Every structure is written in C-alpha cells, then in structure tokens.
Amino acid sequence: MPGKLASWTGQPSIKGSSESMRMALLTFTIVGITFTWSTEMTYCTPYLLQLGLPKSQTSLVWVAGPLSGILMQPVVGAISDRSKSRWGRRRPFMLGGAMIVAICMIFLGWTAEIAGLFTQDPSTRRTVTIVLAVLSIYAVDFAINAVQSTSRSLIIDTLPISKQQLGSAWASRMVAIGNLIGYGVGTLDLVKVFGKTLGDTQFKQLCVISATALLASVSITSYAVQERILVTESGQNQRGGVLKVFSQIKKTATHLPRGIQAICWVQFWSWIGWFPFLFYSTTWIGETYLRYEMQGDVQSKDTVGEIGRIGSFSLVIFSLISLASSVILPWVVQAPEQEKGTFTPRPPPRIAHILPIIVRYKPALLTAWTASHFIFAGSMLLAPFVRSVRFASIIVATCGIPWALQSFAPYTFMGIQINRISNSSTPSGGQLYRRRLSDASDTTLELNVLDPDALHLNHHNDDDDAAEMSTSTGELAGVYLGILNLFVTLPQFVGTLMASVIFAILEPGKSPELAKEVHPDEQHRPTTTGPNAIAVCLFIGALSALGAAYATTRLRYVF
C-alpha cells in the first residue's frame, strides 16, 4: 500500500567495550580510503608527467574523480538503500569495491611492465603505459567512490541524531589519520626500507601498501558493525528496477529539502577551491623545490619518488594539524543540537571541570565552518608569491585546520537533516507504542497502529534526553549523501577545466623536470620568473572559498 513504511529485522550494533572504541571501529574504513586517495593524489600526477603526458592533459585525467563521483555515489547509494542482503545494505558494497580497488592499484603500479608484454618499441610502450595508467586511475576512482559512499551511509544508518556530530568528528579524525599515515609513509625511502620485495620504485611499493590497507580497514569495519536488515521497502520504493533508481535520484535531487540544498551549495563553492589543493599541492611543492632550491644539475634516479617525499613531508604536517583539530574542535565548537538545548555533551572526565568555561565562549559549528573558509582562502591567496619549500609547507600546513572542519561539518549537518526527515515520515495521526527488547537494553521497536506491519527501529540510552530517542533510520541516507557528492564532484569539473586552460597557457608542452625521455622540443621551457601554473589555480580556488564562506553564513536561516 502507498503509505506503508519500511520494515526491518535486527538492530544496529558495534563491537567494542567503550564509545570511543565503537566509534573508531565504525569509521575505520575511512583510514584505508584516505590512505589510497593520498597515494593517488601524491604520486599519480608526477608519475603521468614522467611518462610524458603534458600537464594540461594530466589535469583532464583527474576528471575521473568527479565523473566517478557523479555516476557511482548516487547510484550505489540508491541501490544500497534498497538492498535486502542478509549481510546488510552497506557492507557488501564496501567489501566488493575494496577488492576492485586493490586489484587496480597493483595494476597501476606495474603498468610499464604490463605494457612491455605487448610491445618493445619505446615510443609505443610509453603510449600503452599512459593508456593503462589512465584506465587504472579511472577504475580506482569508480570503485573507491562506491566504498566511500556506503561507508559514510553506514555511519548515518548506525548512529542516532545526538551522535551524528560525534560520528562525523570521528570520521574526520580517521581522514586525518589516513592522510598522516599515507603521507608519513610517503616521506620514507621505501626501497631502502623494504628492498625490492614490494617493487623497485617508491610508487610501486605504495600501491601495494595502499591496496593492503584498504582491504584491512574495510574488513575491520565490516566485522565490527552489525547492520539492520531491510525486510520490506516503503510503499513508494517497492516497485521498479534500475530505472526506478535513476528516477528516485532525479526526483530527490530536484526536490531537495531546503536545509540539504543549502549544505550542497556550500560544498559546491568550497570544493572548487579544495580540488586543486588536494590534487596538485604535492606537485606544487616538488616543483617549487626543483625551480628554486635544487642545487645545480643534480638529478635523482627516481624523480617521482623524490617529489613525492618532499611534498609528503609538508602534508604530514598538514595531517598532524588536521588530526589535532578534528580531536579538539568537537569539544570547543557548539554542536547544532546543543544550540537548541536538546543535547548534553559528555566529555572525558579529565576535562569535565573546564567544560563550563569552554561552553561560555565556544562558537557555533556554523561560525567555525565559516571561519575555516576564510582561513583556507587567505592561505591560497599567497600561493603565487611562494619561492621556497618552507613557505609552501607553512601554507599547506595551515590548511589542516579548515580541512578538519570541511571533513566533518557538512556531514554533521547532513546527518541531522536526514534523520529529521526520516523521523518526520511517521504519520502524524498515528500513535507509537514502545516495547523494550529483552535482549537489548538500548533498543526499542516502535509499532505504528495505523500500519501494524511497519516496525521501526529506535535506539537510545536510558540516560539520554527524550529528544535523543529519535531513530536514525537513514532510509534514504545513501541517496542524499550521493546527491551531496554531486555538489562535491561538479565543481571538480570546473576545477579540471580551469587547470587545463591555465596549464595550456602558462606551461604548454611536457614537463622538463620529469619527462626526461621525450625530445627537448616537446618540453615547455623551465622558468623561475613566471608564475607557477598550479599556484595560479590555487589562487583562483581561494576566490571560490570566499563564495563558500558567504554561502555558509546563509545556513543560519535554515537551521
């Protein structure tokens, strides 16, 4: 019947003896995802430049990220929302996607050797290697977006509204930890550490390590988290196959609730700025070293590895600041639910005595998020004036603070909005009767008398406020987070086009620092006087970050 609500069996649960342990296990997949992203973003651009791909064309390769996000996250989110698998709605997609990513990362590291199986001609082999590398990057991006979409949805599915900010904060910490480990490992000379067991170059060894890390982190979360099983879909979602999925995505995207729409536009403007930073900051720092600080004609045998190590060291500092910020900020920033008096924070006992002082002066999350856009914009406006690795590293490290907020603020607001929508779907005229399950003291089943067949899972603690007793059904969490990702990926198309044009104008041809095997006539002239093309992209991104700050201030009218 049209008004029939979804029914479930089982209850969401997380292994672990403490809340911190449960939160860590729930979000641990993000460590592997971020480690893999850091490897790709740090090494793939210099790797493609080394193969002889012009910088303007290299920027077009990164259209894989937004393209895969547009296609994969909403679709996988919608399909997983409707999944009735006995293993849960999210975990099968997480595990399947992780296996594909691992295979493609190994393939990416050994593209030159694989190309050599088909041709021995140096020019043809280089072309085949580039094609295989680009295809591998696309495959990695498509598969990892499926893992990312379902892992974020799993957090929203599992936690009640009062824990959404805490869950998002833990996800932000895992992003910082994944970056810290990824960039930290990247600073090491892995060939010296491991020998040639995992490969004869830095890039190959990182591909193996990142593949292993992703499989391990997804397996740990999948083991630790127990999902509810969808038994019957809501009436409006019961019919239709693939076309129904696309129809649902279109309908939802064109009729977004006002709050979710506002969050999406903030993401749109902010990610025009973050895209060049995340994909090119390592190459920018490496080029700064090669242009202004490298002594004479000294050249490394593994230039890609050296650029990666130099850039990774700066990003280690960035990750440390981001990690520290993600741990501290949730305690010094006022949560949205706390602003309305519906949530009482329970900090660790060691800092409980200073909480009243902090509460008196701490800003709202919305204010902190707005300030973070200004910090990021101010840092990126300085990029064209950088002439040393130290200055570039300071700029990159400063961005750790806004990145911590960017990693959890939008998902906090989204989690609250999604769960409010889920809760409001209960018919207003129906009475709800709660019955405590004998084997689960923190869970209740709600029975709607208007529809005796519809069971809704509510999880809450006895000592929580009444307002915290609302369920985190997240029935459409996958769709809404997929649409949010559309507003993250669409600006990446803008950033890709912008970077391609700027690279073509300022640095046409192939990189003289990296593409040593190509003819000198194909290289652009190295210069230390003109502006660095990547720095110009970062500067333009700063202007967009100012737009994001303005859009964030508008959120106060809808929250």
Side-chain angles (χ1 to χ4, degrees), residues 6-210:
S7 60
W8 311 81
T9 184
Q11 57 179 314
S13 63
I14 312 169
K15 299 181 188 298
S17 57
S18 66
E19 182 177 70
S20 295
M21 177 60 71
R22 289 190 289 271
M23 288 292 181
L25 292 171
L26 174 63
T27 58
F28 195 69
T29 289
I30 297 174
V31 173
I33 294 173
T34 309
F35 189 105
T36 304
W37 278 124
S38 67
T39 299
E40 185 183 66
M41 291 186 291
T42 301
Y43 284 90
C44 283
T45 294
Y47 178 58
L48 293 172
L49 292 174
Q50 184 185 53
L51 292 176
L53 200 65
K55 189 177 285 186
S56 59
Q57 294 181 22
T58 301
S59 67
L60 295 177
V61 172
W62 295 120
V63 78
L67 182 62
S68 59
I70 285 177
L71 294 177
M72 292 299 291
Q73 291 216 21
V75 173
V76 171
I79 294 174
S80 65
D81 282 344
R82 298 154 57 93
S83 174
K84 299 177 183 177
S85 169
R86 56 178 293 196
W87 306 109
R89 297 190 298 167
R90 316 299 183 186
R91 290 177 297 169
F93 291 91
M94 291 165 56
L95 288 166
M99 292 178 187
I100 295 173
V101 171
I103 293 171
C104 293
M105 286 299 295
I106 302 299
F107 195 90
L108 177 61
W110 275 263
T111 49
E113 286 76 8
I114 294 171
L117 299 176
F118 300 98
T119 178
Q120 297 301 317
D121 178 67
S123 178
T124 304
R125 180 176 178 176
R126 189 183 308 115
T127 301
V128 174
T129 301
I130 291 173
V131 171
L132 292 177
V134 171
L135 291 176
S136 298
I137 290 172
Y138 269 73
V140 167
D141 281 0
F142 271 78
I144 204 169
N145 266 288
V147 181
Q148 183 168 286
S149 172
T150 48
S151 64
R152 284 284 186 175
S153 296
L154 183 65
I155 297 171
I156 291 179
D157 289 349
T158 307
L159 300 177
I161 289 179
S162 63
K163 301 296 183 184
Q164 289 296 324
Q165 171 162 308
L166 183 60
S168 295
W170 270 95
S172 177
R173 293 166 194 170
M174 293 303 170
V175 169
I177 291 172
N179 279 329
L180 181 60
I181 297 173
Y183 296 134
V185 171
T187 62
L188 303 174
D189 189 337
L190 296 178
V191 177
K192 288 185 178 179
V193 174
F194 297 113
K196 297 184 178 181
T197 305
L198 301 179
D200 56 3
T201 67
Q202 183 92 351
F203 183 53
K204 289 179 179 178
Q205 298 209 7
L206 276 171
C207 286
V208 174
I209 295 171
S210 62

Side-chain angles (χ1 to χ4, degrees), residues 169-327:
W170 270 95
S172 177
R173 293 166 194 170
M174 293 303 170
V175 169
I177 291 172
N179 279 329
L180 181 60
I181 297 173
Y183 296 134
V185 171
T187 62
L188 303 174
D189 189 337
L190 296 178
V191 177
K192 288 185 178 179
V193 174
F194 297 113
K196 297 184 178 181
T197 305
L198 301 179
D200 56 3
T201 67
Q202 183 92 351
F203 183 53
K204 289 179 179 178
Q205 298 209 7
L206 276 171
C207 286
V208 174
I209 295 171
S210 62
T212 305
L214 181 62
L215 287 172
S217 63
V218 171
S219 298
I220 289 171
T221 295
S222 298
Y223 168 75
V225 178
Q226 179 66 43
E227 295 184 71
R228 293 172 296 157
I229 308 302
L230 178 63
V231 177
T232 305
E233 299 176 60
S234 59
Q236 60 182 350
N237 291 332
Q238 284 183 349
R239 294 181 297 274
V242 177
L243 292 179
K244 178 67 176 179
V245 170
F246 284 99
S247 175
Q248 181 187 21
I249 294 171
K250 179 182 177 182
K251 181 179 178 180
T252 307
T254 54
H255 296 84
L256 286 175
R258 187 182 176 194
I260 291 179
Q261 187 179 66
I263 298 168
C264 288
W265 279 111
V266 173
Q267 289 289 80
F268 178 85
W269 291 110
S270 64
W271 270 91
I272 292 178
W274 281 109
F275 173 75
F277 175 86
L278 294 174
F279 279 87
Y280 298 118
S281 56
T282 301
T283 306
W284 173 54
I285 293 172
E287 287 186 349
T288 299
Y289 168 75
L290 294 175
R291 289 185 176 207
Y292 303 109
E293 297 188 8
M294 189 173 66
Q295 303 259 338
D297 295 328
V298 176
Q299 292 288 338
S300 170
K301 293 182 179 179
D302 185 10
T303 309
V304 172
E306 183 163 350
I307 284 182
R309 284 190 292 273
I310 293 171
S312 292
F313 179 77
S314 300
L315 290 169
V316 165
I317 308 302
F318 162 84
S319 300
L320 283 171
I321 292 176
S322 178
L323 177 59
S325 300
S326 65
V327 172

Side-chain angles (χ1 to χ4, degrees), residues 420-434:
R420 284 176 179 169
I421 293 168
S422 297
N423 294 335
S424 66
S425 65
T426 302
S428 58
Q431 291 181 300
L432 296 177
Y433 294 96
R434 289 189 174 87

Side-chain angles (χ1 to χ4, degrees), residues 331-350:
W331 299 115
V332 300
V333 172
Q334 196 171 20
E337 290 301 300
Q338 186 181 345
E339 296 173 37
K340 300 180 180 181
T342 60
F343 174 64
T344 302
R346 296 175 175 83
R350 286 173 293 181

